[in-house]
Amino acid sequence: MGVPDYGGGTTSGTHGHVPLADVASVSVTGLVADPSRPADVRVELAANALRVRLPGGAQFDGYTLNGATPGPAIRAAVGQLVEVVLRNEDVAGGVTLHWHGLDVPNAMDGVAGVTQDAVRPGGSFTYRFVAERAGTYWYHSHQVSHAQVIGGLFGALVIDPPGPTASDAVVLLHTYPGTSRTLNGHLGAVRRDARPGEVVRVRVANTDNAPTVVWVAGAPFRVLAVDGRDLVGPSPVEGRKVTVTAGGRADLEVRVPDAGVRVQAPGVSLVLGPVGSDPPTAAAPAATLDLLTYGTPASLGFDPTRPDRRFTYDIGRLPGFLDGRPGYWWSINGRIVPHVPMYMVAEGDVVAMRITNASGEVHPMHLHGHHLVVLTRNGVASSGSPWWVDSLDVEHGATYDVAFVADNPGIWMDHCHNLPHAVEGLMTHLMYDGVTTPFVLGPASGNDPE
Ligand code: C2O
Ligand code: CU
């Protein structure tokens, strides 16, 4: 699965200086939550392939979970053990579930051919993980994901912080095949009654392939969190929109005015207000909130200035062959899949990565199992709150320096969340020393994660 890149570290890891021969080998199947711990939250999800009819009439050949798309919102409190039994009723190509943004044990990551086999019709798979961090996440199939996600195999995953539950609303932005954008599966406006003065945390998740923007008409707001990580010192925002990259989330806090308020994305909105309120829509503000300067600085909890590994992830585009097919494919560090780097780390490493994009298009880059902190963009250092992401909007021409701690052993995809781009080769892995997988990819295996 690629050409090992040790990022200046050693094959034996940089902690403990263990000779390679002594690095214990562990299979991804052993990287699980405590099997003896009972579940606190248990959900059963049945996947179907069928003709879907959205409220309002749009139809397409898609997928449902328990008869609906989006699938049921899964909710747990931080620290709870979540158990989800996925049953494939009749999706011929097989299905999995990936917990996007929740840094689960590797065996639960749901990537067909890497952490499990795709669940065939009639089969099932049980996911178990402890919800370690409160925040807004989502789940989706990671088998033939470029077709199954757009077609409906996804839902919201919310982990509540300790203490009394605050008022919140989940907003899943999704564009199904041949439809315009929907909000929680509805075209146009959706409303939720709210008292004047009520403070609502609006949990926006962009489940599409392209970045989008959200804004609030009728009230100032604050951005409380991005990608399941609270921002420090978020100040009131007015007259700006917020970019939510593909796969990314933003939690917006709004205080409901007497006349109600409208949280908008292109083509859709969520109205929060008293019964009968109908706050006006507003055009998207021209200015975009810059998360590089928003909020106040705080400790990262690790020192990114002396990393154990330094990697580059240079995104380009090259003529060549992918699986024998000629084309103009995405490249990583000047090479086309499978000759792309496999980023090798050892547990405990501090990892620095420079991501550049000279490919002509934007790429929402997503690393599984970890959160990255943005250190610089185009050479300018972050001066706001620590900006942690699992999905990073990397514009054409941009350079991002990011860092993370390798604290979750496994084999983790690191790919573009414009899912057709992943099919076109914008996909590689982060790999921990000594971790092996019994699963295989490719046509003969029936596993096809992209
Ligand atoms: Cu949202 Cu590789 O996944
Ligand atoms: Cu891309």
Side-chain angles (χ1 to χ4, degrees):
M1 283 199 290
V3 182
D5 178 345
Y6 294 95
T10 63
T11 54
S12 55
T14 49
H15 295 265
H17 304 282
V18 186
L20 184 59
D22 294 352
V23 173
S25 147
V26 55
S27 165
V28 299
T29 56
L31 299 167
V32 295
D34 177 359
S36 64
R37 185 173 160 187
D40 301 299
V41 173
R42 193 162 185 284
V43 179
E44 295 186 12
L45 296 177
N48 288 97
L50 39 70
R51 184 103 184 131
V52 176
R53 188 189 299 264
L54 294 181
Q59 291 186 40
F60 55 91
D61 288 320
Y63 306 91
T64 57
L65 289 162
N66 295 1
T69 178
I74 298 175
R75 236 179 147 121
V78 69
Q80 287 189 319
L81 193 142
V82 179
E83 182 171 295
V84 179
V85 182
L86 168 67
R87 196 157 39 83
N88 180 358
E89 294 203 327
D90 60 5
V91 181
V95 295
T96 68
L97 290 178
H98 167 62
W99 315 95
H100 185 119
L102 203 66
D103 300 331
V104 300
N106 194 222
M108 301 292 116
D109 199 40
V111 180
V114 179
T115 64
Q116 68 173 97
D117 284 324
V119 181
R120 314 314 311 183
S124 73
F125 188 95
T126 301
Y127 297 92
R128 286 169 51 85
F129 50 83
V130 176
E132 306 268 12
R133 298 284 297 250
T136 305
Y137 308 96
W138 63 295
Y139 61 87
H140 62 80
S141 179
H142 223 306
Q143 163 77 347
V144 201
S145 56
H146 73 280
Q148 293 191 358
V149 178
I150 187 176
L153 278 186
F154 69 95
L157 172 61
V158 174
I159 309 303
D160 288 308
T165 323
S167 171
D168 73 354
V170 173
V171 167
L172 292 179
L173 300 173
H174 192 79
T175 309
Y176 292 95
T179 73
S180 42
R181 178 175 286 107
T182 64
L183 191 159
N184 297 343
H186 295 263
L187 299 159
V190 170
R191 56 167 306 129
R192 162 153 147 11
D193 293 340
R195 286 174 286 104
E198 188 173 335
V199 175
V200 183
R201 184 179 189 124
V202 182
R203 302 172 176 276
V204 179
N206 178 6
T207 63
D208 276 331
N209 284 318
T212 191
V213 291
V214 291
W215 66 97
V216 178
F221 63 99
R222 299 193 301 157
V223 184
L224 296 184
V226 167
D227 287 4
R229 293 292 178 273
D230 286 348
L231 298 176
V232 179
S235 51
V237 179
E238 237 170 323
R240 280 174 203 276
K241 58 187 188 271
V242 177
T243 299
V244 185
T245 200
R249 286 87 61 216
D251 292 14
L252 311 183
E253 181 197 65
V254 289
R255 180 181 291 274
V256 178
D258 291 348
V261 64
R262 204 178 269 273
V263 179
Q264 293 185 237
V268 292
S269 58
L270 171 70
V271 172
L272 297 167
V275 182
S277 59
D278 189 17
T281 56
T288 304
L289 180 74
D290 189 353
L291 293 169
L292 199 68
T293 58
Y294 183 67
T296 50
S299 162
L300 299 179
F302 74 105
D303 179 5
T305 62
R306 299 166 60 90
D308 301 297
R309 315 270 176 168
R310 265 179 211 281
F311 297 117
T312 55
Y313 196 128
D314 293 334
I315 304 164
R317 207 163 189 187
L318 286 174
F321 292 86
L322 194 156
D323 291 338
R325 290 169 296 150
Y328 190 45
W329 305 110
W330 307 112
S331 62
I332 304 171
N333 296 357
R335 308 296 300 274
I336 294 170
V337 163
H339 308 288
V340 295
M342 163 97 107
Y343 300 109
M344 305 293 298
V345 296
E347 188 172 2
D349 282 349
V350 169
V351 183
M353 185 178 273
R354 172 165 290 183
I355 307 173
T356 70
N357 176 5
S359 72
E361 284 187 40
V362 62
H363 300 290
M365 299 308 297
H366 173 50
L367 172 63
H368 288 209
H370 302 75
H371 275 69
L372 315 165
V373 68
V374 176
L375 303 175
T376 74
R377 181 186 60 214
N378 302 329
V380 179
S382 164
S383 57
S385 164
W387 177 15
W388 292 93
V389 294
D390 53 63
S391 308
L392 180 65
D393 202 50
V394 183
E395 309 88 353
H396 170 68
T399 297
Y400 283 86
D401 282 311
V402 299
F404 62 98
V405 179
D407 58 2
N408 195 5
I411 304 174
W412 303 100
M413 287 188 88
D414 188 357
H415 67 96
C416 179
H417 222 282
N418 186 333
L419 298 170
H421 289 182
V423 182
E424 297 161 1
L426 196 35
M427 188 281 292
T428 183
H429 295 84
L430 174 76
M431 165 99 184
Y432 281 65
D433 279 350
V435 178
T436 62
T437 177
F439 305 108
V440 290
L441 294 162
S445 68
N447 292 322
D448 184 6
E450 288 90 38

